[in-house]
Amino acid sequence: MKKSDGKAMVRGLDSGRRFRFGLWIVALLALLWRLAVSGEIASGRFAGSIFQPSPATDLRTYMDLSRCIIDGTFSGPFYYQPFYYAFFLPCCRILGGGSVWMVIGVQALLGALTAVLTGLTAARLAGRRAGMTAALVTAFLTPLVFYTPFHQIAGLQSFNLALLAFLAVRAVRRRRIGWDLALGAVAGVAVLTRGNMLLVALPLFLFLGAAEWRRSSWRHAVMCFTVMVLAMLAVEAPFMIYNSLQLGRLAGPSTAADAVLALGNTPEAPPGGRNPGLPAGPMEYPAAYHEWMATAAERPVIGRVFEWLRAEPAAFLELTFRKLLLFWDYREIPNNVAL
């Protein structure tokens, strides 16, 4: 090896070390910024939403359910988003003696690690400059910072998504079964945190399987896909078994599918949970929601959704399009917490 090649290798190693050091500096800044903002919010007019949320909010639901699990008084099936209140919050409560500030601290730490993972993933895809830019944007992005002190899944799910992306890039570039297992397990946690992650996880598994097919063979592709799916199901299995025993039938890890579909896909459902022009407040449940849920045993909600789609396709597509726009809007939906 020529001397010039050796010097180039040393410069590359030094550059890599500087980049990683820079990422950890960004992570520290992200952590301190989240704690500072959380402290300011906790001492302001949103303090009640942090320490004593309204019983009508998801924040309070998560708080109460996690307390019930710690106390051993939880009963019935897991309804929705079980990982957050059945595992994450109880762990925080045990470590912090029930302190809300422990939850805030852990969610702030996850936010900082999200910035690191985003930076590493972007660097592998487009270079270190892109990685540092991505890390900085993630570290100081307003919604990611703002939701830190609240009992909401935003911080945890953002971390899950960043970790999923990091592992996916690793799995493509370093073909080992360990990466497939890890990716499937993280996908399982993400799905338990919010069920619509299936819409991300399964296409991602197919994409990684197709990449393996092009590189190796269809047998390896099938094995890759199967390992990821089985790892995901293994993480979800305890919740599925518990719900199945509770209901006396085969059930998934969450049992809120009918309510979620009815709330967002009825003929009178507003796309953001409230009708335009009404002041912010608890989510509005349209009359059609109550009607569909009351008859869900006789006529499943998914069937009612398809009936409406066939009867009024243009109206259904309009509602779907308006819901989609919310994901590209810089403002937040007012029935959660208005920025």
Side-chain angles (χ1 to χ4, degrees):
M1 185 174 65
K2 296 179 181 178
K3 286 186 177 181
S4 58
D5 293 336
K7 290 179 179 178
M9 185 179 295
V10 170
R11 285 196 298 271
L13 290 172
D14 289 342
S15 178
R17 291 193 188 99
R18 286 197 299 270
F19 172 71
R20 289 191 291 273
F21 180 74
L23 277 185
W24 289 114
I25 293 296
V26 171
L28 178 61
L29 293 174
L31 175 63
L32 295 176
W33 181 240
R34 279 160 173 74
L35 292 175
V37 171
S38 297
E40 182 177 353
I41 295 173
S43 61
R45 65 189 183 94
F46 284 126
S49 296
I50 296 175
F51 299 104
Q52 287 295 329
S54 165
T57 62
D58 287 347
L59 289 71
R60 181 62 171 271
T61 301
Y62 295 142
M63 270 188 173
D64 292 344
L65 289 174
S66 65
R67 289 193 184 105
C68 288
I69 288 173
I70 288 291
D71 297 339
T73 58
F74 179 82
S75 61
F78 294 115
Y79 186 58
Y80 69 145
Q81 302 171 0
F83 185 86
Y84 187 68
Y85 66 78
F87 184 84
F88 179 81
L89 287 181
C91 288
C92 292
R93 293 184 66 80
I94 291 171
L95 291 173
S99 171
V100 171
W101 281 104
M102 175 57 74
V103 177
I104 294 172
V106 173
Q107 292 184 165
L109 179 61
L110 287 180
L113 293 176
T114 300
V116 172
L117 289 169
T118 304
L120 290 172
T121 303
R124 288 187 174 276
L125 294 174
R128 291 174 184 142
R129 182 176 298 177
M132 189 57 65
T133 302
L136 285 167
V137 170
T138 306
F140 297 103
L141 190 66
T142 300
L144 293 179
V145 175
F146 181 79
Y147 282 114
T148 300
F150 300 100
H151 278 57
Q152 289 189 323
I153 65 170
L156 175 60
Q157 194 68 325
S158 298
F159 173 78
N160 290 336
L161 283 165
L163 183 54
L164 201 64
F166 173 80
L167 291 173
V169 172
R170 283 286 183 136
V172 166
R173 299 196 173 187
R174 296 187 179 183
R175 186 70 270 150
R176 292 178 183 172
I177 194 170
W179 293 114
D180 296 334
L181 286 169
L183 197 144
V186 172
V189 172
V191 171
L192 288 172
T193 305
R194 194 174 186 93
N196 60 7
M197 271 300 298
L198 279 172
L199 302 176
V200 174
L202 292 179
L204 178 61
F205 293 171
L206 288 171
F207 171 81
L208 294 174
E212 182 62 18
W213 191 343
R214 290 186 62 185
R215 176 168 46 193
S216 181
S217 68
W218 68 267
R219 290 185 179 85
H220 283 90
V222 171
M223 184 181 72
C224 166
F225 180 82
T226 303
V227 166
M228 288 185 287
V229 170
L230 290 177
M232 181 177 71
L233 291 175
V235 173
E236 297 177 15
F239 295 87
M240 296 171 65
I241 293 170
Y242 175 84
N243 278 351
S244 298
L245 293 173
Q246 288 287 314
L247 298 173
R249 58 176 173 80
L250 183 62
S254 171
T255 57
D258 281 346
V260 172
L261 288 170
L263 183 61
N265 297 283
T266 62
E268 55 191 18
R274 290 198 63 83
N275 286 316
L278 294 180
M283 181 177 288
E284 181 177 347
Y285 288 75
Y289 167 87
H290 297 290
E291 179 188 342
W292 286 17
M293 289 301 295
T295 58
E298 296 79 28
R299 300 177 64 191
V301 170
I302 185 66
R304 300 287 291 267
V305 174
F306 281 114
E307 287 176 13
W308 181 41
L309 173 58
R310 288 192 296 268
E312 299 184 78
F316 182 88
L317 292 175
E318 179 192 358
L319 175 65
T320 302
F321 179 68
R322 291 174 66 193
K323 287 189 291 185
L324 179 66
L325 288 178
L326 292 173
F327 289 91
W328 303 102
D329 197 324
Y330 72 94
R331 296 163 297 185
E332 268 296 329
I333 302 173
N335 62 43
N336 290 324
V337 181
L339 294 180

